[in-house]
Amino acid sequence: MSRRASRMSQRMSGSQRSQKSPPIPQRPQPRQSKRAPRPTIPSAEAAGRQTRAPSPTCTFLLKSMAWAEVEAATAFPTLTALIAGSGACCCCISAALVVAGGIMLAYERYNRLEGSEGSVSDQGLALAGVIALILAVAAFLLGCCSCFFGCVAACAYPPGSGGGAGGVGPFGGALGGPLADYDDERRDVKVQFKRLNDRYEKAEKALNQIHLNVIGDMKEVREAELKEDKARKEEEKRKRDELEKRVQKDLEAGLTVRNMRRNYRPVAFLVRFDGDTMLSSMEVLRKQVSIIVNCGRAGVDRAVVVITSPGGAVSPYGLAASQLVRIRKAGIQLVVCVDTVAASGGYMMAAVGDTVYAAPFAVIGSIGVVTQIPNFQRFLNKHEIDAYLFTAGKHKRTVDIIGDVTKENKKKLQEELDDMHRAFKDHVALARPKLKDNIEEVASGEYWVAVQAKEHGLVDEIMTSDEYLESICQENEIIEIVEKKRRNVWSAFHAVASVMKNAIDSVSSAKNEYRVAPPMAVA
């Protein structure tokens, strides 16, 4: 009864409230679906609370896969070397078996020719020889296969191609970690030193050994040789005494042994520069110049740079000339020798030298700037092909291969070339003050042979690089700085693979796109 009374009172009170104020219209509620509600995306906190950590088994598998990929990529060169090494060992074993089998068969054949009847031991020896030859053939085939697969693997995974930034491992995944350091180390340019004084000394000794001495048995000749030896020993003793006095004086003055050694025997650093259009040997030149600047002594040593270059792009050769300027700034004498050609960008480098030597028929000069850009606009218009070029900036593109060439664009490009030519002339005039008055005359883009170039002031002396080096080899240590290259089987296969890859890339790029040639400083 009490429950019914309470319900009745609630209904009564609700009816009374409805009489006092009109009912508020309610928005119709959507019909509830009987299907289960869609899952919603939880918040970050909820996700952090709801997400479960991966199981230890999954974590172990993921770490194992990552470790296996990195370790496999790291061990791939070693595995390649082991495969090739096993092939070489198989070939050596094959050779040994061939020799052993041949000896066995030859011995058995010898006994048969001697007339002795074939005994059981001879028959066993012949059988062993045949088995050895069969095993030799099998070992040889196995070795050839191993060497082949090792070479293919080495070409497919050359040094510097795997791991690190921009590298892909043998499983196709981008790897990092230790392979990045390995890749950087393989790309580093390494150099070595060669003493060229030994070349002349050894040549003289070898000539004296093979030269026919037709007067060596004469009494007068032997007496003259004894006198010459005595005079030479006295001269050496005198020079030795003078050197000891000089050393004692320098030690009392406080000079170090290293400085004394360099003062008594200066070093002439030799660098042979062979430049192409885009100056691909820039890294080697940078390393060579850095060694000269850091190891050479100002006012004592000298640097001899033999330049062979017809010129190329402006910016790379400007950088190369700036590298040679570092030698002069360090107070080291810079001598430039030209044997064949130093034109345009090549002369931009040669002009930096304190002294320029050139062979009589070397090509010198070509102080100018040139560029050539083909334009296919009429061809595209003829075949109704639309080509679009979008730029930001009024002169971002002046003359290109597909756009419309206007007078304003051609004028702007000519102004850019004139600016580069003006900078080229200022560089030459600053490096060689004797050309300051007639720079306009020699900077016309012409080139001359060295004899004529000397009359114009582009060359100081007519002399080949070999003649100059021979003239200073008695008082200086001639040390050539050359790039250290790997000399092994792998480097040959890597070179072949890189040449093939570059050829394929060049052919594909030539088919797919045309590149606009940058302003070039070539003759």
Side-chain angles (χ1 to χ4, degrees):
M1 292 292 294
S2 60
R3 292 180 179 177
R4 289 182 179 180
S6 61
R7 290 177 181 174
M8 292 289 292
S9 61
Q10 291 177 0
R11 291 177 181 175
M12 298 258 324
S13 60
S15 61
Q16 292 175 0
R17 286 195 299 269
S18 62
Q19 294 176 0
K20 293 180 181 179
S21 60
I24 300 175
Q26 299 291 334
R27 179 178 299 178
Q29 297 294 332
R31 185 176 180 180
Q32 296 292 334
S33 175
K34 295 182 180 181
R35 293 179 298 178
R38 296 181 179 178
T40 58
I41 300 176
S43 61
E45 298 179 357
R49 291 193 302 267
Q50 295 176 5
T51 303
R52 294 185 301 173
S55 62
T57 305
C58 295
T59 304
F60 175 76
L61 290 176
L62 292 174
K63 291 183 178 180
S64 300
M65 291 173 64
W67 176 83
E69 185 177 6
V70 175
E71 290 296 327
T74 307
F76 193 79
T78 305
L79 181 61
T80 303
L82 289 177
I83 293 175
S86 63
C89 292
C90 290
C91 293
C92 295
I93 294 173
S94 174
L97 291 175
V98 168
V99 173
I103 293 174
M104 293 178 186
L105 293 178
Y107 183 74
E108 189 272 338
R109 182 65 176 175
Y110 174 77
N111 291 337
R112 182 178 297 179
L113 293 176
E114 287 293 329
S116 59
E117 297 180 357
S119 59
V120 178
S121 59
D122 292 340
Q123 295 177 358
L125 192 64
L127 181 61
V130 173
I131 294 175
L133 292 178
I134 295 174
L135 293 177
V137 173
F140 179 76
L141 294 176
L142 180 61
C144 291
C145 294
S146 299
C147 291
F148 174 76
F149 287 115
C151 295
V152 170
C155 294
Y157 190 74
S161 64
V168 179
F171 299 104
L175 303 177
L179 290 185
D181 298 336
Y182 173 80
D183 189 27
D184 294 339
E185 182 180 358
R186 297 302 291 267
R187 284 200 303 265
D188 186 20
V189 177
K190 299 183 182 299
V191 297
Q192 60 183 359
F193 300 95
K194 290 183 179 180
R195 185 177 184 270
L196 300 186
N197 300 74
D198 300 334
R199 179 184 303 175
Y200 307 108
E201 297 171 0
K202 292 179 180 179
E204 185 177 359
K205 292 180 181 179
L207 179 60
N208 293 332
Q209 290 177 358
I210 66 174
H211 188 272
L212 180 61
N213 189 2
V214 296
I215 59 175
D217 296 335
M218 297 181 180
K219 181 179 179 181
E220 294 81 358
V221 173
R222 290 198 299 268
E223 292 178 355
E225 288 180 348
L226 293 176
K227 291 181 180 179
E228 291 177 358
D229 292 341
K230 183 178 179 181
R232 185 179 67 254
K233 291 180 180 178
E234 292 178 354
E235 182 67 18
E236 292 177 354
K237 185 177 182 302
R238 184 184 64 81
K239 292 182 178 180
R240 186 69 180 178
D241 295 339
E242 293 179 356
L243 181 61
E244 291 178 354
K245 293 179 181 179
R246 184 179 176 184
V247 169
Q248 187 66 28
K249 183 178 179 180
D250 291 340
L251 289 175
E252 293 176 355
L255 293 179
T256 61
V257 177
R258 176 179 178 274
N259 292 338
M260 288 167 39
R261 186 184 296 113
R262 298 288 290 273
N263 290 338
Y264 300 161
R265 188 73 173 174
V267 177
F269 297 98
L270 175 61
V271 173
R272 301 186 185 274
F273 177 81
D274 190 1
D276 52 11
T277 302
M278 297 306 296
L279 206 62
S280 58
S281 58
M282 173 58 70
E283 292 299 327
V284 180
L285 179 64
R286 178 184 287 116
K287 190 68 171 288
Q288 292 169 336
V289 171
S290 298
I291 291 176
I292 295 174
V293 171
N294 290 280
C295 298
R297 294 197 60 204
V300 178
D301 300 331
R302 72 183 70 185
V304 182
V305 182
V306 182
I307 297 177
T308 303
S309 174
V314 175
S315 298
Y317 273 90
L319 177 59
S322 301
Q323 293 292 339
L324 298 184
V325 171
R326 293 173 54 196
I327 300 177
R328 294 188 60 174
K329 288 182 178 180
I332 301 174
Q333 182 184 1
L334 177 60
V335 179
V336 175
C337 297
V338 182
D339 289 333
T340 55
V341 57
S344 195
Y347 188 75
M348 180 184 291
M349 298 176 59
V352 178
D354 295 298
T355 308
V356 180
Y357 295 87
F361 289 92
V363 177
I364 306 295
S366 186
I367 305 175
V369 184
V370 63
T371 185
Q372 54 184 1
I373 304 173
N375 186 266
F376 299 94
Q377 184 194 16
R378 289 185 295 177
F379 175 82
L380 298 176
N381 294 337
K382 179 180 179 181
H383 294 274
E384 298 181 353
I385 300 174
D386 295 332
Y388 300 97
L389 178 65
F390 301 94
T391 60
K394 182 179 180 180
H395 297 295
K396 183 62 178 178
R397 280 289 182 270
T398 53
V399 178
D400 57 83
I401 62 175
I402 61 174
D404 184 16
V405 181
T406 62
K407 293 183 178 180
E408 181 182 2
N409 292 339
K410 291 192 290 185
K411 181 180 178 181
K412 181 60 178 177
L413 179 59
Q414 187 62 46
E415 291 178 358
E416 294 175 354
L417 296 181
D418 293 339
D419 292 340
M420 291 183 183
H421 190 207
R422 191 177 302 108
F424 195 175
K425 293 186 292 185
D426 294 341
H427 167 80
V428 175
L430 181 62
R432 297 184 64 81
K434 63 175 66 176
L435 295 176
K436 188 175 182 180
D437 296 333
N438 61 335
I439 188 64
E440 296 296 336
E441 178 184 352
V442 299
S444 60
E446 302 176 75
Y447 59 88
W448 303 272
V449 294
V451 178
Q452 298 173 343
K454 183 181 179 182
E455 298 177 359
H456 291 284
L458 301 177
V459 174
D460 296 314
E461 297 292 339
I462 303 299
M463 185 183 298
T464 63
S465 61
D466 297 326
E467 185 179 359
Y468 176 76
L469 293 175
E470 291 173 0
S471 64
I472 64 173
C473 67
Q474 297 296 332
E475 295 82 15
N476 296 268
E477 289 289 319
I478 304 177
I479 306 299
E480 184 178 7
I481 307 175
V482 297
E483 182 182 4
K484 185 177 181 180
K485 298 181 179 179
R486 296 177 301 156
R487 296 184 178 182
N488 49 29
V489 179
W490 302 116
S491 60
F493 286 106
H494 295 154
V496 173
S498 61
V499 169
M500 295 177 62
K501 181 178 180 298
N502 293 335
I504 295 173
D505 293 342
S506 62
V507 172
S508 60
S509 62
K511 290 182 178 180
N512 296 333
E513 61 179 0
Y514 294 91
R515 297 181 58 188
V516 178
M520 309 293 284
V522 295

